[in-house]
């Protein structure tokens, strides 16, 4: 999804409720407070800040108190440094890289949170969502180095599986030292939630925060209406943010994330498309006629992870799952037989659509 138009202490963040389908396996650990009531009149002026976070763009628009745009941007960049130092697989000295390389076994609050959320979504998915796919992601060329000429998938799958790693007493315990974690399917959404918590601590009651198209919002925009958000058209090579919008949504609270395989992919020597979403059951790209998944959820971390889960499940299984869940707020864009697009909007999502 794309918007049109001091670092947080995670252990002290106020909770907010997760959707009921995750509550029993995860619990209320969301980083920001509950959404404001829709339709409240905005108070005072809004401050806007933008820049680069997590290797992509970010933008914040919020009615913070006593904070200039420069101060808001600086606070966001401090959070960026904290998030990358903890959860990045692309930085050699991040805590996650050191855990993956067995240079330490101590986890911080960020990694513990993401692993707990991964557990809950993994349980919902029957193992289709799995953050131990890092060796597969690396072998296929999506972890900062060139792809293997011929990935030995069967060998790698021996040390992929969520049951092969756990946290005990603040330490990561691996069943095999070759087990590695990749939080790219949740860390950006989680950092969006942390950025939302940051602006709430600065007094904001109305805001929209966005990192790389993943969003958390609350309250109303400067005109007093709901925040308006565009969902991009998922054609291969659509690399220009906001250039082609398929649908528009309105939101006054919660998180939104879109997952798709139309940006991070390449064509292999055999002419087959290789995409960054990996099915941990097969060790290969999860490709189906499901092109784009947009999920609305109480938190952006949850929306981020669930979007990847549905994409990895493939069109048929994802449709079956959401049709059986009255609470699911999803918008799917699928490839049609005639080369165009088909859409599926869940009943709970319909209220958010503008057109």
């Amino acid at each position: 999804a794309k918007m049109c138009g001091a670092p947080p202490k995670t252990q002290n963040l106020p909770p907010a409720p997760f959707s009921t389908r995750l509550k029993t396996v995860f619990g209320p650990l969301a980083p920001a407070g509950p959404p404001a009531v829709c339709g409240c009149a905005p108070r005072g002026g809004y401050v806007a800040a933008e820049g680069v976070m997590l290797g992509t763009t970010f933008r914040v628009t919020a009615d913070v108190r006593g904070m200039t745009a420069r101060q808001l941007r600086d606070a966001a960049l401090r959070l960026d440094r904290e998030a990358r130092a903890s959860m990045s697989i692309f930085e050699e000295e991040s805590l996650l890289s050191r855990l993956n390389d067995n240079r330490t076994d101590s986890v911080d609050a960020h990694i513990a949170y993401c692993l707990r959320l991964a557990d809950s979504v993994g349980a919902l998915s029957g193992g289709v969502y799995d953050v131990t796919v890092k060796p597969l992601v690396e072998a296929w060329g999506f972890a900062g180095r060139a792809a293997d000429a011929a990935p030995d998938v069967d060998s790698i799958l021996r040390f992929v599986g969520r049951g092969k790693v756990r946290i005990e007493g603040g330490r990561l315990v691996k069943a095999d030292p070759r087990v590695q974690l990749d939080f790219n399917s949740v860390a950006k959404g989680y950092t969006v939630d942390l950025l939302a918590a940051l602006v709430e601590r600065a007094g904001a009651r109305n805001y929209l925060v966005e990192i790389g198209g993943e969003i958390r919002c609350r309250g109303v925009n400067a005109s007093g209406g709901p925040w308006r958000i565009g969902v991009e058209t998922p054609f291969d090579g659509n690399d220009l943010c906001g250039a082609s919008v398929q649908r528009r949504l309105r939101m006054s609270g919660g998180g939104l994330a879109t997952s798709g395989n139309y940006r991070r992919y390449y064509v292999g020597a055999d002419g087959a498309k290789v995409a960054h979403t990996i099915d941990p059951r097969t060790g290969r790209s999860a490709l189906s006629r499901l092109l784009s998944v947009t999920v609305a959820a109480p938190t952006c971390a949850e929306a981020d992870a669930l979007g990847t889960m549905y994409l990895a499940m493939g069109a048929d299984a994802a449709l079956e799952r959401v049709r059986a869940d009255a609470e699911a707020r999803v918008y799917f864009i699928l490839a049609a037989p005639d080369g165009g697009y088909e859409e599926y909007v869940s009943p709970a999502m319909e209220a958010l659509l503008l057109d």
Side-chain angles (χ1 to χ4, degrees):
K2 300 293 175 187
M3 183 177 69
C4 298
K9 296 180 175 60
T10 53
Q11 59 269 39
N12 295 325
L13 292 172
F18 268 58
S19 62
T20 55
R21 64 187 184 282
L22 285 184
K23 196 177 298 179
T24 57
V25 287
F26 185 53
L29 297 177
V37 176
C38 177
C40 296
R43 37 154 212 165
Y46 282 61
V47 174
E50 58 186 19
V52 175
M53 290 184 71
L54 307 182
T56 187
T57 59
F58 83 89
R59 183 172 181 180
V60 180
T61 302
D63 61 346
V64 292
R65 294 179 174 180
M67 180 178 278
T68 66
R70 176 65 180 271
Q71 290 170 329
L72 180 57
R73 180 178 180 274
D74 288 347
L77 294 180
R78 287 195 296 272
L79 174 59
D80 171 59
R81 290 192 291 271
E82 179 180 336
R84 289 187 290 110
S86 173
M87 300 174 285
S88 174
I89 63 169
F90 301 106
E91 301 199 12
E92 186 177 347
E93 294 305 315
S94 73
L95 178 56
L96 186 57
S97 291
R98 288 183 284 122
L99 286 164
N100 283 339
D101 294 343
N102 303 304
R103 287 179 281 156
T104 185
D105 61 358
S106 297
V107 303
D108 65 2
H110 299 308
I111 286 173
Y113 180 95
C114 288
L115 200 55
R116 285 183 175 180
L117 179 55
D119 278 350
S120 66
V121 177
L124 286 173
S125 73
V128 178
Y129 179 85
D130 191 330
V131 293
T132 67
V133 294
K134 199 305 191 138
L136 290 165
V137 172
E138 187 172 63
W140 288 111
F142 296 104
R145 69 168 179 81
D148 295 348
D152 189 350
V153 170
D154 290 339
S155 294
I156 298 172
L157 283 172
R158 290 183 298 170
F159 42 95
V160 170
R162 182 57 193 89
K164 300 180 188 297
V165 63
R166 66 187 186 279
I167 293 177
E168 287 185 0
R171 298 188 179 278
L172 192 70
V173 179
K174 301 180 182 181
D176 186 306
R178 294 170 294 181
V179 173
Q180 296 185 324
L181 300 171
D182 179 348
F183 289 142
N184 281 345
S185 61
V186 64
K188 184 165 64 171
Y190 171 61
T191 305
V192 169
D193 290 330
L194 295 180
L195 188 54
L198 186 155
V199 300
E200 286 193 11
R201 283 195 301 276
R205 291 191 305 218
N206 302 280
Y207 61 79
L208 187 145
V209 301
E210 176 244 347
I211 303 176
E214 301 194 4
I215 287 165
R216 181 82 179 253
C217 67
R218 177 179 177 180
V220 295
N221 62 26
S223 299
W227 299 98
R228 298 165 65 93
I229 301 159
V231 178
E232 292 181 324
T233 307
F235 58 85
D236 287 353
N238 182 4
D239 295 324
L240 187 59
C241 175
S244 179
V245 174
Q246 186 79 5
R247 285 271 200 158
R248 289 177 173 83
L249 300 89
R250 58 185 168 212
M251 293 183 66
S252 294
L256 188 80
T258 296
S259 297
N261 284 322
Y262 55 94
R263 281 212 172 107
R264 295 187 62 199
Y265 74 94
Y266 61 88
V267 178
D270 60 355
K273 182 177 179 179
V274 181
H276 73 102
T277 303
I278 305 297
D279 185 339
R281 300 168 298 181
T282 65
R284 302 181 185 279
S285 294
L287 297 174
S288 74
R289 69 186 192 97
L290 182 56
L291 304 177
S292 170
V293 175
T294 298
V295 179
T299 68
C300 193
E302 182 182 353
D304 195 4
L306 288 170
T308 299
M309 179 193 83
Y310 290 128
L311 199 64
M313 293 175 79
D316 293 342
L319 286 167
E320 181 179 0
R321 169 58 61 87
V322 299
R323 284 169 174 156
D325 184 355
E327 295 184 9
R329 291 185 292 166
V330 302
Y331 167 50
F332 291 171
I333 305 176
L334 306 100
D338 62 3
Y341 299 113
E342 295 176 353
E343 297 181 331
Y344 172 79
V345 181
S346 67
M349 189 68 148
E350 289 178 355
L352 302 184
L353 292 182
L354 280 169
D355 47 23

